[in-house]
Amino acid sequence: MSTGKLPPAADGLQLNFCKTLACRNFGLSDEKYYLLQDSDPSRPGLVCRECGAFPPLLNNQGVIEELSRLKQQDSGNLAACNTEGCEAFDKPVLTHREHYHAFGYSGERQRYRCKHCQATFVDKWSNANPKLDIQQRLLGLLFTGHPVREICRKLHINPKTFYDHLEQIAARCRNKLASVDARFLQLAKENPLASALTTLQPRSDNGVMWLTTGDAEHGYVLLQNINYSSDEEKPEDIEDVYAENARLMPDNFNHFTDSFESNPEGLLNQVNEKYKEVLSRSNVEDLYTRPIHVDYPSKGCLIRPQYAAYAQYLRLKELTEGWGDLKVYLPQEPLLRSAIISVFKDRLQEKQCHPIYVVQNAQWLEHDSAGSIDIMLLSWWRDRWAFTQKGQAAKAICHLGKESGSEAEWLQQATTTALEDYQDRFHLHFRSLIDEPRRRLRPGGLLPLLDIFRAWNNLCHQNSEGVTPAQALGLARHPYTLANLLA
Ligand SMILES: [Zn+2]
Ligand SMILES: [Zn+2]
């Protein structure tokens, strides 16, 4: 229940404040700057007394929980000290070598000792993969679009064994990626990033969105997560943002009856149409608070998308601590805007963070220079957009920090295409698995596939010049084969 106060900070994190950069209250979390109301759930809980903005409330503890879930998924299976409270706790050997001594072997596997607490542990991925042969064949079949049923038949395994293999392959892939990711964070400091957001299974209305962030130019994917948890249960009741399980989505949607797809002509209309859709949400950061059809997954629990997005950008913040300027290109989506602005508020105020919306039509040629530029202030937020047009090709950008002066440069450089292509390729490669009728309401089985695909994309997938994203960034000397991934 609300107490007329902001949701309490968690681990020093307080994300409830005015998110209008030019406002005096930007980033301030003192209740006196806001009107708080909780009697009418259809109205915003927080209104800025200075600028009238109505940022939705967030449960800070819920964001922290989602962040630790994300970290657990990314590095939970890497060899690391597991003594709680130890300085090296949870710091993988692969990326934090300085905390450990090599300490003999256990069978073929490397053993380590923590320098701080003296605990010893074994790196279970340090031996040669005894299942290399079958897993390589399995991956080969999977990447060539064979349905699970057929793969099982060809390899004489049952579906349970298939998914066990998939889990193990995913774990090896995460292990391979951990050290390459660390090099990425060292070497790609100057590079712009991009995010892309789409549904995990385009033919299923199961409510699972998939957010990815990576190198905008070469498409090296650094972070990805989905707003779904396979080992939590959906809450029965709708609860407010102060409740303990505020981040979990109940099966309660404002289903629409007659669907209307409007496909407005021209980029300006498209951008305006998007703002209209956004304002039809009762919570502008939550895509599921407008009339929408959702078939809730039959197992597990949907996470409110804002918790997944804030968690990913908090992770990005931790990882890019040592970076200078941070440029992030985004699709026009206030969920991502709010998450970035909130998480990077200090760097935004120091003008070291540049979130930029990018919208372009299919005719636009990547990296083409801008023609003449029209500036327009759009929507309730008075967002400052720059539009350009070249024949049929059109593109628009909007610096969310309201900086100006470099529009031509941003119009030429800003792009989210590499990340969108990554997601499209995933949908294409694994169409038969993603669209399996039984799979539509069971997204959990796709989780290992996401890790495998990220590894394949970064290390194996070659562009038209035969170069992988990792090679293009100087993180690898040659493309990896599937066997290299699994070794
Ligand atoms: Zn304000
Ligand atoms: Zn330790």
Side-chain angles (χ1 to χ4, degrees):
M1 265 308 284
S2 161
T3 50
K5 287 188 179 305
L6 293 174
D11 289 354
L13 181 74
Q14 174 55 273
L15 295 164
N16 297 292
F17 44 74
C18 174
K19 294 167 191 187
T20 309
L21 220 82
C23 177
R24 233 194 304 169
N25 293 346
F26 175 73
L28 301 179
S29 294
D30 192 325
E31 276 103 2
K32 71 178 181 216
Y33 299 127
Y34 304 99
L35 273 168
L36 268 149
Q37 74 89 27
D38 53 25
S39 47
D40 181 355
S42 68
R43 296 179 57 193
L46 186 69
V47 179
C48 174
R49 289 185 195 269
E50 186 72 25
C51 72
F54 41 94
L57 289 169
L58 272 168
N59 185 309
N60 299 298
Q61 184 58 37
V63 178
I64 296 277
E65 278 163 27
E66 198 52 24
L67 174 62
S68 56
R69 214 173 65 83
L70 175 65
K71 284 196 212 174
Q72 183 61 29
Q73 272 170 11
D74 275 357
S75 54
N77 70 328
L78 302 181
C81 171
N82 52 14
T83 312
E84 244 176 274
C86 174
E87 196 183 325
F89 176 66
D90 249 7
K91 292 187 174 146
V93 179
L94 273 170
T95 47
H96 294 82
R97 211 41 216 260
E98 66 280 10
H99 296 295
Y100 305 98
H101 291 297
F103 198 65
Y105 287 86
S106 163
E108 280 181 21
R109 295 164 173 180
Q110 178 72 52
R111 188 188 295 119
Y112 292 96
R113 185 161 77 182
C114 173
K115 287 184 186 174
H116 309 282
C117 70
Q118 315 302 324
T120 63
F121 55 89
V122 170
D123 180 355
K124 52 181 172 171
W125 308 107
S126 54
N127 64 335
N129 184 352
K131 297 170 189 158
L132 178 64
D133 184 49
I134 186 167
Q135 292 187 346
Q136 195 183 333
R137 286 168 63 204
L138 186 153
L139 265 198
L141 291 167
L142 198 60
F143 270 93
T144 42
H146 290 76
V148 178
R149 198 167 10 89
E150 211 178 305
I151 298 176
C152 289
R153 196 168 45 76
K154 281 186 197 270
L155 300 179
H156 309 291
I157 55 175
N158 61 38
K160 160 94 173 64
T161 311
F162 171 87
Y163 284 106
D164 287 348
H165 276 303
L166 216 55
E167 289 283 356
Q168 289 169 18
I169 295 171
R172 287 216 175 247
C173 286
R174 286 195 292 271
N175 205 55
K176 280 270 157 15
L177 278 172
S179 49
V180 190
D181 285 349
R183 283 205 295 280
F184 174 84
L185 293 168
Q186 286 298 318
L187 296 175
K189 282 182 181 166
E190 311 285 317
N191 297 25
L193 300 173
S195 290
L197 180 70
T198 187
T199 48
L200 181 65
Q201 293 162 273
R203 281 157 199 271
S204 166
D205 296 319
N206 65 13
V208 183
M209 305 285 298
W210 172 29
L211 174 63
T212 58
T213 297
D215 184 83
E217 184 67 34
H218 305 290
Y220 186 97
V221 177
L222 181 64
L223 291 168
Q224 59 180 353
N225 65 339
I226 59 176
N227 62 314
Y228 169 81
S229 166
S230 47
D231 36 52
E232 286 174 277
E233 280 185 33
K234 75 175 170 201
E236 287 303 316
D237 307 312
I238 319 162
E239 302 216 56
D240 64 23
V241 68
Y242 298 87
E244 217 173 277
N245 59 3
R247 58 183 256 283
L248 307 182
M249 240 197 287
D251 188 358
N252 183 288
F253 300 93
N254 181 4
H255 292 271
F256 60 83
T257 38
D258 38 293
S259 82
F260 67 98
E261 275 291 284
S262 75
N263 251 333
E265 289 233 344
L267 217 50
L268 175 61
N269 289 335
Q270 189 189 317
V271 169
N272 275 323
E273 193 65 25
K274 176 71 188 182
Y275 278 120
K276 226 163 82 190
E277 180 268 299
V278 167
L279 288 169
S280 76
R281 307 173 187 172
S282 62
N283 176 333
V284 294
E285 295 179 10
D286 186 344
L287 297 83
Y288 298 103
T289 58
R290 66 189 160 104
I292 192 167
H293 177 75
V294 175
D295 292 323
Y296 207 97
S298 53
K299 272 185 175 172
C301 180
L302 289 172
I303 308 294
R304 293 195 185 279
Q306 61 272 43
Y307 291 87
Y310 277 75
Q312 183 173 123
Y313 290 132
L314 278 171
R315 182 86 182 112
L316 182 66
K317 186 183 176 202
E318 289 178 356
L319 294 175
T320 58
E321 211 94 280
W323 289 32
D325 272 14
L326 189 69
K327 253 187 214 161
V328 192
Y329 306 139
L330 304 169
Q332 184 194 355
E333 172 49 62
L335 161 61
L336 305 185
R337 167 218 199 100
S338 297
I340 286 222
I341 288 187
S342 308
V343 167
F344 291 101
K345 69 172 167 131
D346 297 335
R347 277 159 88 169
L348 265 158
Q349 279 175 316
E350 287 157 18
K351 298 205 183 299
Q352 286 180 354
C353 176
H354 306 278
I356 296 174
Y357 274 161
V358 191
V359 179
Q360 64 192 44
N361 67 11
Q363 287 81 19
W364 184 264
L365 286 174
E366 289 295 317
H367 300 303
D368 201 359
S369 59
S372 65
I373 299 173
D374 292 320
I375 301 290
M376 262 175 263
L377 300 180
L378 300 180
S379 88
W380 186 91
W381 290 271
R382 312 284 294 153
D383 284 341
R384 190 175 182 281
W385 284 84
F387 285 81
T388 193
Q389 180 109 27
K390 277 188 157 180
Q392 291 299 305
K395 181 167 178 174
I397 56 97
C398 169
H399 191 299
L400 298 174
K402 292 211 161 60
E403 283 182 38
S404 57
S406 308
E407 286 81 4
E409 192 188 319
W410 293 326
L411 277 165
Q412 184 167 15
Q413 289 169 4
T415 171
T416 55
T417 308
L419 276 293
E420 282 155 15
D421 286 351
Y422 166 73
Q423 294 183 321
D424 289 346
R425 272 197 299 276
F426 177 83
H427 291 145
L428 202 68
H429 267 294
F430 302 119
R431 198 167 33 196
S432 68
L433 187 57
I434 292 171
D435 292 340
E436 253 192 326
R438 277 178 318 124
R439 179 63 51 216
R440 290 194 182 175
L441 295 183
R442 293 168 184 267
L446 297 177
L447 272 166
L449 211 52
L450 286 175
D451 287 324
I452 296 169
F453 193 68
R454 182 169 87 87
W456 177 83
N457 172 77
N458 290 351
L459 303 172
C460 307
H461 173 67
Q462 303 170 27
N463 65 14
S464 52
E465 276 109 58
V467 176
T468 65
Q471 274 180 290
L473 289 159
L475 314 174
R477 288 209 185 85
H478 53 83
Y480 283 46
T481 61
L482 290 182
N484 294 146
L485 267 193
L486 296 170

